[in-house]
Amino acid sequence: MRRVLPLAPALLMVSMLAYPTLPASAATPTPRPGVVDTLRDGTRLETLTPVKGAVTSTPSGIPAADRGDTALLAESLTTGPMGSIPFTTVGVTWTSGFRQSINVWLRTQSTARAPWSAWTLLPTEPEHAPDGTTAESGASLSGTEPSWTGTAISAQIRVETTTGQAPGGLAVHLIDGRTAAATPPAATTTTTAAGAPQAARTAATSVITAPTSLSTVPLGFPASVPQPAILPRSAWGADESIRRHAPEYAAIRGAFVHHTVNANSYTSADVPALIRGIYLYHVKTQGWSDIGYNVLVDKYGRMWEGRAGGLDRAVIGAHTYGHNSVAFAMASIGDHTSSAPSSAVLAAFQRYFAWKFSIHHVDPRKPTYYSEVAHNPIEGHRDVYPTSCPGTAFYALLPALRTSILSAMGTWPRMDHVVGVGDITGDGSNDIAGIEADGRLRIYPGVRETGGFLPSMTAGHGWDTVDQVIGPGDLSGDGVPDLVARDRRTGQLWLYPTTIGGRYTTRQQIGTGWLPFMRVVALGDVTGDGFPDIGANDDDGKLWVYPTNGAGGWLPRYLGGQGWERLDALTGAGDLTDDGISDLVGRTPAGELYLYPGPGAATVFATRTLLGTGFTGVDAIVGVGQWTPDSYPDLVMRTIGTRRLHIVYGGAASVLPGRQIGSGW
């Protein structure tokens, strides 16, 4: 909930209905029907639009006890009681673009003879919204968060603004989320929501083993993390007919913690209706495609599937404006401004975040980047916007939550990095480097004839200070492939020249300011000039190509394309298309492997070809050049959880399943 700044005394209270305001002691409010929309499942929405000129005043303002630390204003105007049907959720919207600060207050009556509730300041969170690049963004309205009221029959609304000017298109929405739905089914571990693209569940051919379904691919990064029990959308009675657009997908680099700012007094039986109210408000009122959150958790620790599209997939939500395409979110149903979440809620966040990070290969030990700024992968909404969400009491627990999530993810791989380094031993076979968790750099000489390794050797220490390591080829011009690494603390890019025998000489700084890039990639020679190139991804999906000059220097960079943030793995694969130009291979979060032919000039990558599906079971995809005796370059992949290396044979614009070539990685 955003903390609202004190407003000037001049204000306007807008009446939603054209009849006199009744005092709080009135026994029976006069019903005034609005536009009532009854859905297939019985959920109803009544929209009450203000009538021009129907502003009336009441004899008293909001009591100081209700206002709390919000400034007491000298004058007040309010609506008369409203409502023609029972409701459980209230929200207020207005046309987007209103630039003033605004307070929206609500009080309700549960029955005709019941006393009015205390005035409640409805949270206004403009940062809970779709990203501007998504299909749903154009139709959305500004407004308050949907507020759970319990079953009520009447509401009064008070609006305060900086200058007393009301926003245009002001409307009150009374939502009845009650239905006659059956008892919710038990939580399941299904990975595809109702209405989700069925491709997420169809059989896919694994490049590592025989054909298998996605559900049997070993999950977990670094070890197998079980999917938690999450109640499907059908459990809370989602009316799938009202969703506006098909789910959209991107990549996941982090997660956000939210709270819904609902009252904490709901019961276990209230939760389905509460979620239906949020869903209806987000879709029918604010014009979004679907409910904004990916998953919600109630105070009892039960998790509920939110936005449709597949729990295991990188579904773009509408929870954190500007960050929905790079992060997922779970919302605690409740208000944690001063009330800490229960241990059951914290345990649910731990299980869900650990599982989601594991299958999308997010390492919570390392920073992620939003708008070129380093962030913790596990953050509260307030870390990227001036809001109090997820509440002060919850926010204070985030450090402990981060520790518990890291623990739940299990034992990390021995190798933080697996890198194809070319033939640095000078024996005619390409080699692989691995950086162990303790910072040791180890070289594994390859044997081309057998596809195996010779005994490894230690080539250096202290490499735990780097977070991006690539083998770009010969940058120094001495005929031996080199290593390049980024310092995770400073963003400096360092060149490590190699001597024959696999020894790295004194490093040389070749760049600064590389910290904002989410990924640094050894591209090979994609420009066709005979020298290796390096790629770097912006956080907004731009792929920048940095050509080198063959002597440790750079040529001017150019834009190689956009939309590359939708890949969760990218590697230079060598010349798979047999045209003399290096190509790229990238994987989507859905496990699709694509070939991106090198353009052969300083221009964009224009086309891509699907190589295969079912690649979700690997956490490292590495181009290693001609690892085997044929003329095509190969890929090495590490399976999640098992830490085994497998060779994947390259062919003519294709890949073929290979065999295990190593273990313990």
Side-chain angles (χ1 to χ4, degrees), residues 155-169:
Q156 286 187 290
I157 299 293
R158 172 187 176 105
V159 178
E160 304 169 353
T161 66
T162 306
T163 66
Q165 176 188 357

Side-chain angles (χ1 to χ4, degrees), residues 435-522:
I435 297 179
E436 298 187 344
D438 63 3
R440 285 189 297 173
L441 174 66
R442 300 189 68 83
I443 302 299
Y444 292 79
V447 180
R448 188 175 183 186
E449 291 78 10
T450 65
F453 299 100
L454 296 176
S456 67
M457 58 185 179
T458 299
H461 294 84
W463 286 72
D464 52 336
T465 61
V466 301
D467 64 351
Q468 297 280 326
V469 185
I470 59 174
D474 178 20
L475 294 189
S476 57
D478 62 358
V480 184
D482 306 309
L483 270 183
V484 168
R486 181 180 70 180
D487 191 301
R488 60 180 171 82
R489 303 160 299 181
T490 65
Q492 296 168 316
L493 204 65
W494 294 92
L495 169 64
Y496 292 80
T498 315
T499 61
I500 292 293
R503 300 296 176 182
Y504 292 95
T505 61
T506 304
R507 69 178 185 174
Q508 305 167 18
Q509 183 178 319
I510 58 172
T512 59
W514 285 68
L515 206 55
F517 291 118
M518 61 176 285
R519 181 164 49 212
V520 181
V521 185

